[in-house]
Amino acid sequence: MKNNITQFLKYGIGGGFAFVATFFSLYFLTEKLKIYYLLSSVIAYTIGFIINFIFQAWITFETKKSKIFSRLGYFSIIQIIGLLLFTFFMFIFTEKLNLLYLISYIFSAIISFIFNFSLSKIFAFNQNLTNAPDSS
């Protein structure tokens, strides 16, 4: 249980870095480069994905280098599903509930954070999938 809490907190820190990078990327792409907010959110989400995977693989779940690509495969699938969920909520909050896209981003990010952590813990970084622990 303590390990789960520690991992959740570490996941939150890594997610926090990714959140900030994604938020400012979204703002920059939308406001400065004048890219449509949904396309900007996908690009920004991808930037956050890269930061998040590196942090989660090496710090939160202490993945061995030899398993990094198999973990990346699972993590990518989860993130793609998370991106679809995130984009769906960005659209709903912005277009249907008339929230500012940056506020929509915050709510969408919270929803996708919970989804992504849960599935990452169960599938992407599950030590039982390879029958050997990642950490030394």
Side-chain angles (χ1 to χ4, degrees), residues 8-133:
F8 185 77
L9 292 174
K10 286 181 181 179
Y11 197 90
I13 292 168
F17 287 132
F19 175 88
V20 169
T22 304
F23 185 86
F24 285 110
S25 297
L26 174 62
Y27 174 79
F28 179 77
L29 292 167
T30 305
E31 296 299 326
K32 302 301 180 191
L33 299 182
K34 303 298 183 197
I35 297 173
Y36 182 60
Y37 82 94
L38 281 178
L39 179 58
S40 293
S41 71
V42 170
I43 296 167
Y45 191 95
T46 304
I47 292 167
F49 162 80
I50 294 165
I51 293 167
N52 199 20
F53 177 76
I54 292 168
F55 191 96
Q56 304 314 340
W58 283 310
I59 296 174
T60 303
F61 297 104
E62 301 172 355
T63 303
K64 289 183 180 178
K65 289 181 184 178
S66 63
K67 296 181 183 175
I68 202 76
F69 288 111
S70 66
R71 302 295 189 217
L72 178 60
Y74 286 109
F75 194 77
S76 296
I77 291 167
I78 292 164
Q79 291 296 312
I80 290 168
I81 296 167
L83 174 60
L84 294 173
L85 184 70
F86 172 82
T87 305
F88 170 76
F89 281 108
M90 278 291 294
F91 175 78
I92 294 299
F93 292 141
T94 305
E95 298 295 328
K96 301 300 181 190
L97 299 179
N98 295 316
L99 296 177
L100 177 67
Y101 75 95
L102 293 171
I103 301 300
S104 298
Y105 167 75
I106 293 169
F107 291 129
S108 300
I110 291 167
I111 293 166
S112 64
F113 171 82
I114 295 166
F115 173 85
N116 290 342
F117 173 76
S118 301
L119 267 63
S120 291
K121 175 107 174 109
I122 294 168
F123 297 110
F125 297 103
N126 185 337
Q127 295 175 359
N128 294 326
L129 290 177
T130 59
N131 298 321

